[in-house]
Amino acid sequence: MSRVSVPPPTCLQKPLRVPHRYMFGPGPSNVPPRILWAGASPVIGHMHPEIFEIMSDIKSGIQYMFQTHNNVTLAVSGTGHTAMECAIFNAVETGDSVLTAVNGIWGERAAEMAERIGARVNTIVAPPGGYFSNAEIEKALSKYRPVLFFLAHGESSTGVLHPLDGIGQLCHKYNCLFLVDSVASLGGAPLYMDQQGLIDILYTGSQKVLNAPPGTAPISFSERACQKIFNRKTKPVSFFLDLSWLANYWGCDGKPSRLYHHTGPVTAFYSLRESLALLVEESLERSWERHQKVAEYFSAGLESIGLKLFVKEKNVRLPTVTTIVAPHGYDWKEITAYIMKTHNLEISGGLGPSVGLVLRVGLMGYNSSTANVDMVLAAIKDALKHCHKSKV
Ligand code: PMP
């Protein structure tokens, strides 16, 4: 007699259905067919030589995308948060001082991650939409003497592209590692890991400008970062994210053989490889230029229909994620829901400190085109005509 007491669910006896949707929120973005097909290639062993070759191609692609010669460059199995934790858990030991720049949600999250491993965390805080001068950063570095300083290059919750020039030099002056989150910006705005700002740890995600499915996160560590990480007194709190293991799995530690650490998500590696190949085909410079032009075209279109950009200074607007001041008199949730229902198109409201203040539109990678801008503008105009507007 069968001992099965939980019956087979009827929901799983129906076919899988996923609608097509325009993914113009802050991520994930739409995945072009070539990347989807790559991900549908057969699964082979994560330690097979063909996979090691694909991982090596990915490493070269990340070095190009990050503009770095760092040897310890790889993709973490997980989303952007996994890369954040990989950076923080490896670079910080219990009791270390950490400084995070909070001008949106990402500095808050980085602070919480460092707190969870027993670091002494301090923050510098700017209002949503704001950013920090190098003088403010230097003041905090000299006061708190952190081992790690976190900054988001693209603050996707507020739409700010943070200037980077000179900050790495300041961090180095105070013997601190410079950690930059570029999940929302990389590939869409210029960033030179080695030259600009002397960044020590940089990471991004697969599902934004790269247009791959979520689930892999490119990351790179400078020589200085490796010096600190590989000479820690204590082991990192996470086995899964331990850089010594990851560097070995990705063939970055010079050892003759690679050991089994975890089962790499091979189909996600295929997609990531293909997304990097598409970026190489277009070139970084052309991708940056396209994102900038499309973002400017979008800003002009928004202003022409009477909407305001949340980030006042043009030169610090993130070209991948545009933040619009939440239209007065409307409920932002009604606007995003109307656009989803009527236009099959995702845009989103604020996140963390920007909730209620903004609407956010992400046009990233393959989605960054003037035709898509026209589509979003038409959807927003339609929503403003049909959603309820209070008289007060
Ligand atoms: N940092 C930034 C700037 C982001 O925009 C995001 C994703 N919205 C993350 C980190 C976290 O990435 P994920 O959702 O892939 O974990």
Side-chain angles (χ1 to χ4, degrees):
M1 210 185 74
S2 169
R3 293 182 57 192
V4 168
S5 64
V6 179
T10 49
C11 59
L12 289 180
Q13 295 166 41
K14 294 182 200 144
L16 169 71
R17 280 220 175 86
V18 182
H20 177 271
R21 198 158 273 162
Y22 296 102
M23 297 301 295
F24 299 165
S29 38
N30 292 103
V31 180
R34 189 168 138 189
I35 297 176
L36 280 176
W37 291 328
S41 306
V43 169
I44 57 172
H46 63 289
M47 305 285 284
H48 291 183
E50 295 84 353
I51 297 291
F52 288 160
E53 200 178 319
I54 290 168
M55 290 164 81
S56 163
D57 295 347
I58 290 172
K59 178 173 165 178
S60 304
I62 300 172
Q63 286 171 324
Y64 171 67
M65 191 187 193
F66 285 19
Q67 286 297 290
T68 184
H69 293 99
N70 289 338
N71 179 39
V72 180
T73 297
L74 49 96
V76 178
S77 306
T79 68
H81 279 85
T82 326
M84 276 176 105
E85 294 204 331
C86 181
I88 294 169
F89 289 0
N90 281 288
V92 177
E93 293 190 68
T94 305
D96 279 348
S97 167
V98 169
L99 178 67
T100 78
V102 179
N103 58 336
I105 197 173
W106 301 109
E108 288 177 0
R109 291 247 166 125
E112 166 152 9
M113 287 170 185
E115 258 160 33
R116 283 177 182 231
I117 56 165
R120 290 178 290 121
V121 181
N122 289 289
T123 54
I124 43 174
V125 183
Y131 63 101
F132 303 91
S133 68
N134 285 11
E136 285 169 291
I137 293 170
E138 176 158 22
K139 202 168 144 210
L141 289 171
S142 87
K143 181 168 174 198
Y144 300 117
R145 301 285 166 159
V147 300
L148 184 77
F149 173 55
F150 170 94
L151 182 74
H153 182 225
E155 225 319 332
S156 56
S157 65
T158 61
V160 170
L161 180 74
H162 206 292
L164 292 175
D165 284 335
I167 301 177
Q169 282 83 346
L170 289 177
C171 289
H172 290 206
K173 179 171 160 195
Y174 291 93
N175 199 22
C176 164
L177 296 175
F178 185 27
L179 165 62
V180 175
D181 174 324
S182 67
V183 172
S185 56
L186 212 71
L191 190 155
Y192 309 85
M193 183 176 189
D194 289 356
Q195 290 166 43
Q196 181 197 32
L198 300 176
I199 300 165
D200 291 297
I201 311 176
L202 179 68
Y203 61 84
T204 190
S206 56
Q207 77 275 25
K208 307 242 179 182
V209 172
L210 279 173
N211 299 127
T216 53
I219 191 165
S220 180
F221 296 83
S222 72
E223 239 346 279
R224 281 177 85 241
C226 292
Q227 278 294 328
K228 168 140 183 20
I229 291 169
F230 296 135
N231 292 295
R232 292 172 56 112
K233 290 186 212 76
T234 55
K235 285 185 181 178
V237 67
S238 166
F239 177 84
F240 181 59
L241 296 176
D242 186 329
L243 191 62
S244 314
W245 280 98
L246 293 176
N248 175 266
Y249 179 40
W250 279 82
C252 306
D253 66 353
K255 298 215 172 114
S257 61
R258 304 195 198 191
L259 301 174
Y260 164 62
H261 172 241
H262 71 283
T263 306
V266 291
T267 55
F269 290 165
Y270 307 154
S271 303
L272 180 61
R273 185 205 177 277
E274 219 51 19
S275 68
L276 289 161
L278 284 172
L279 182 67
V280 165
E281 260 178 34
E282 181 178 20
S283 88
L284 267 179
E285 294 95 322
R286 277 204 288 273
S287 176
W288 295 335
E289 205 180 302
R290 177 167 55 84
H291 283 83
Q292 187 58 36
K293 278 201 179 128
V294 169
E296 284 171 18
Y297 178 73
F298 187 29
S299 300
L302 288 165
E303 283 170 343
S304 78
I305 58 170
L307 291 173
K308 291 196 182 71
L309 277 296
F310 184 66
V311 179
K312 299 284 167 283
E313 281 177 60
K314 282 189 183 158
N315 59 330
V316 293
R317 283 184 190 152
L318 183 57
T320 45
V321 179
T322 298
T323 42
I324 308 161
V325 174
H328 184 69
Y330 289 91
D331 172 358
W332 65 267
K333 283 192 198 133
E334 196 190 338
I335 295 178
T336 55
Y338 177 87
I339 291 176
M340 175 67 91
K341 188 161 169 252
T342 318
H343 295 266
N344 197 27
L345 188 159
E346 178 184 75
I347 68 163
S348 89
L351 178 68
S354 65
V355 172
L357 303 180
V358 296
L359 292 173
R360 295 183 300 154
V361 179
L363 292 169
M364 295 184 272
Y366 162 74
N367 281 350
S368 169
S369 68
T370 51
N372 285 346
V373 167
D374 293 341
M375 198 192 305
V376 187
L377 283 173
I380 295 175
K381 260 205 259 180
D382 183 36
L384 295 179
K385 211 180 325 155
H386 288 95
C387 292
H388 176 257
K389 184 174 185 201
S390 76
K391 300 276 179 300
V392 285

